[in-house]
């Protein structure tokens, strides 16, 4: 009995001692973190003016600021490490101070504009880090006379379109479909949109920029040099923080024409998609016919699902000319006058996003978007997928119990005319179209996500015989960690080639050279960044 009491007392003492040690460690850690944060904030105050806005976990609105532009709910949970400080710059000098002080006090830096990074790398890290949120840097200055504009990286694409339309009915810009995507991220990855066959990518139309480099200097095109200017137009966020961009605006006719044709499997969707593969990249440059694949309820078999192929399209011209083109080049789609609508280019941006075309353009200024749990992948197709391959694809999609879709975007036109090495984005001539795979689900946590991510990987594996090989190409702005990653951005040259060759093909080598020259200490890094190496 005494022995039991003695053992119990001893165990209780050990538990109390262990708890005390844990508390002590926690207090020391908290104290150390508080001191690090304080020193970082003091550094900011010394290198910038009092207008700089910062948030730490002690601030009541820290979570709301962090969550404000996180579009993927996968990366907003208590289990994911949060930034020590969020800086929301109002001017270039605030960005400079953020770089200088992060470097001085040992914080990694992550940069976000619209928060659409599909793998959260712009606001998630496993080491102590600072988020520089550019959403307050959103100035847009339109120069109609010279058909140019300066736009800050924190602006969203919808804002850019809106400001252009304010000044001119005959100017536009070939950027991304979604209006809530941030300019900074989309330009640095390429920027896919429905005028790419006429004018190329957003990044193809960047003519100057202002960047804060790893030394905290502000550089423009002339002072940064040809190599760095080349790298930031499609090479990702490995080289510095681009604060603003000068872009070339493009001509759009007073009225454009849009249409969407929908066909399910019973209506011949498989043959139409197969034919689309053969003609979409060869159509006139002014015509962009996309395919969106989704799952809908069958209209002929009660309680069953079927595949719907939608063909949302934009033609930079009038209905009469469009019908003539389609009758000659793609009659199988059966386009008629009643399917078409003429409108201004800015109204077409409302149309493709499902907004009322005669509604207020102010919707393009909204940063609100439905947040979701999702996984995205990408591919490039060089030869038409046979009908049997498409039928197998439909079968795989119908297996997914949640929301699944695919978007096929045609290449050709101007995209095939620009050299693979003109900018880091290499997916040009030889590609018929790109694929974006999307799966979304409800419910937080890895248990809810696992079956959907597993299905997505199985779907991607199924597509292996039908897409590009050596490398299997991928689009940086549809970021996918599955194509390769490093621990905290510490990849070697060969490790970085695993994903670098897929995103950039042969341009990877030049990107490494630029990175090694402008950021040899590898300050700007993430799990898929370009490595710095010694030559």
């Amino acid at each position: 009995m005494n022995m039991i009491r003695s053992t119990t007392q001893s165990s209780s003492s050990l538990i109390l001692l262990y708890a005390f040690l844990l508390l002590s460690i926690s207090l020391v850690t908290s104290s150390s973190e508080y001191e690090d944060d304080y020193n970082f904030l003091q550094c900011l105050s010394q290198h910038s003016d009092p207008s700089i806005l910062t948030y730490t976990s002690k601030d009541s609105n820290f979570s709301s600021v962090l969550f404000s532009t996180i579009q993927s709910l996968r990366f907003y949970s208590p289990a994911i490490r949060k930034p020590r400080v969020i800086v929301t710059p109002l001017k270039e000098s605030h960005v400079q101070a953020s770089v200088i002080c992060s470097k001085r006090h040992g914080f990694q830096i992550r940069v976000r504009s619209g928060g659409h990074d599909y793998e959260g790398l712009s606001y998630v890290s496993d080491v102590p880090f600072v988020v520089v949120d550019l959403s307050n840097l959103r100035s847009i200055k339109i120069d109609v006379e010279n058909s140019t504009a300066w736009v800050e990286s924190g602006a969203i694409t919808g804002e850019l379109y809106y400001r252009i339309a304010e000044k001119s009915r005959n100017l536009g810009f070939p950027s991304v479909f979604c209006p809530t995507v941030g300019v900074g991220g989309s330009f640095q990855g390429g920027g896919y949109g429905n005028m790419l066959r006429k004018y190329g990518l957003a990044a193809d139309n960047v003519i100057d920029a202002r960047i804060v480099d790893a030394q905290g200097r502000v550089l423009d095109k002339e002072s940064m040099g040809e190599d760095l200017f080349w790298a930031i137009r499609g090479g990702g966020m490995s080289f510095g923080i681009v604060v603003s961009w000068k872009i070339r605006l493009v001509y759009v006719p007073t009225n454009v024409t849009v249409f969407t044709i929908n066909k399910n499997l019973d209506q011949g969707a498989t043959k139409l998609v197969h034919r689309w593969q053969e003609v979409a990249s060869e159509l006139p440059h002014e015509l962009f016919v996309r395919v969106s694949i989704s799952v809908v309820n069958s209209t002929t078999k009660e309680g069953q699902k079927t595949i719907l192929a939608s063909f949302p399209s934009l033609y930079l011209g009038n209905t009469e000319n469009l019908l003539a083109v389609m009758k000659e080049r793609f009659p199988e789609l059966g386009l008629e006058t009643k399917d078409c609508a003429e409108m201004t280019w800015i109204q077409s941006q409302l149309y493709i996003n499902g907004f009322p075309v005669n509604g207020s353009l102010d919707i393009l200024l909204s940063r609100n978007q439905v947040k979701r749990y999702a996984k995205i992948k990408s591919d490039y197709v060089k030869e038409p997928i046979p009908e049997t391959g498409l039928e197998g694809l439909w079968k795989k999609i119908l297996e997914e119990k949640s929301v699944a879709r695919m978007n096929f975007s045609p290449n050709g036109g101007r995209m095939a005319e620009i050299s693979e090495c003109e900018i880091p984005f290499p997916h040009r001539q030889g590609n018929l179209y790109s694929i974006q795979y999307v799966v979304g689900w409800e419910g937080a946590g890895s248990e809810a996500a696992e079956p959907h991510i597993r299905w997505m990987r199985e779907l991607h594996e199924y597509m292996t015989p039908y897409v590009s090989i050596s490398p299997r190409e991928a689009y940086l702005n549809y970021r996918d960690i599955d194509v390769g990653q490093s621990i905290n951005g510490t990849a070697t040259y060969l490790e970085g080639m695993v994903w670098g060759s897929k995103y950039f093909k042969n341009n990877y080598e030049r990107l490494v050279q630029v990175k090694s020259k402008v950021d040899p200490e590898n300050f700007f890094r993430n799990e898929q960044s370009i490595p710095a190496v010694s030559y």
Side-chain angles (χ1 to χ4, degrees), residues 407-447:
N407 295 311
F408 299 170
S409 295
N411 255 38
R414 179 65 181 143
M415 288 290 286
E417 297 170 353
I418 300 173
S419 166
E420 283 192 359
C421 60
E422 181 70 21
I423 63 173
F425 178 97
H427 315 293
R428 307 284 189 174
Q429 189 174 18
N431 289 304
L432 297 179
Y433 60 97
S434 65
I435 300 177
Q436 180 192 42
Y437 309 85
V438 182
V439 63
W441 62 90
E442 299 293 332
S446 57
E447 187 174 338

Side-chain angles (χ1 to χ4, degrees), residues 461-479:
E461 180 64 26
Y462 168 82
M463 291 294 288
T464 302
Y466 306 116
V467 298
S468 60
I469 58 173
S470 300
R472 184 171 184 172
E473 299 172 39
Y475 177 34
L476 180 63
N477 277 353
Y478 296 161
R479 193 189 294 280

Side-chain angles (χ1 to χ4, degrees), residues 47 73 87 132 141 155 201 216 321 346 400 442 460 462 480:
H47 287 84
L73 293 174
V87 184
V132 177
K141 298 177 181 178
L201 306 171
N321 290 339
I346 193 65
E400 171 56 32
E442 299 293 332
H460 196 248
Y462 168 82
D480 177 15

Side-chain angles (χ1 to χ4, degrees), residues 117-119 121 189 234-236 375-378 380 420 423-427 471-485 496-508 511 526-530:
D117 189 321
Y118 290 142
E119 296 288 3
L121 301 190
K375 174 68 178 177
I376 286 86
K377 285 181 174 289
S378 63
Y380 286 88
E420 283 192 359
I423 63 173
F425 178 97
H427 315 293
R472 184 171 184 172
E473 299 172 39
Y475 177 34
L476 180 63
N477 277 353
Y478 296 161
R479 193 189 294 280
D480 177 15
I481 283 294
D482 292 349
V483 306
Q485 63 175 306
M497 187 180 289
V498 173
W499 61 87
S501 62
K502 296 168 186 173
Y503 288 140
F504 309 113
K505 297 180 66 175
N506 293 332
N507 293 329
Y508 173 70
L511 287 169
N526 60 52
E527 287 73 9
Q528 285 191 338
S529 57
I530 301 296

Side-chain angles (χ1 to χ4, degrees), residues 125-177:
S125 177
D126 289 331
V127 299
F129 71 109
V130 168
V131 165
V132 177
D133 186 316
L134 301 176
S135 57
N136 286 328
L137 286 173
R138 55 204 297 180
S139 169
I140 300 171
K141 298 177 181 178
I142 308 296
D143 182 348
V144 173
E145 184 178 352
N146 293 299
S147 298
T148 62
W150 272 101
V151 51
E152 291 185 320
S153 287
I156 58 172
T157 303
E159 288 177 301
L160 175 59
Y161 293 162
Y162 183 98
R163 299 305 174 196
I164 295 171
E166 273 187 324
K167 300 293 185 180
S168 172
R169 189 169 177 168
N170 293 114
L171 289 175
F173 189 68
S175 195
V176 298
F177 301 96

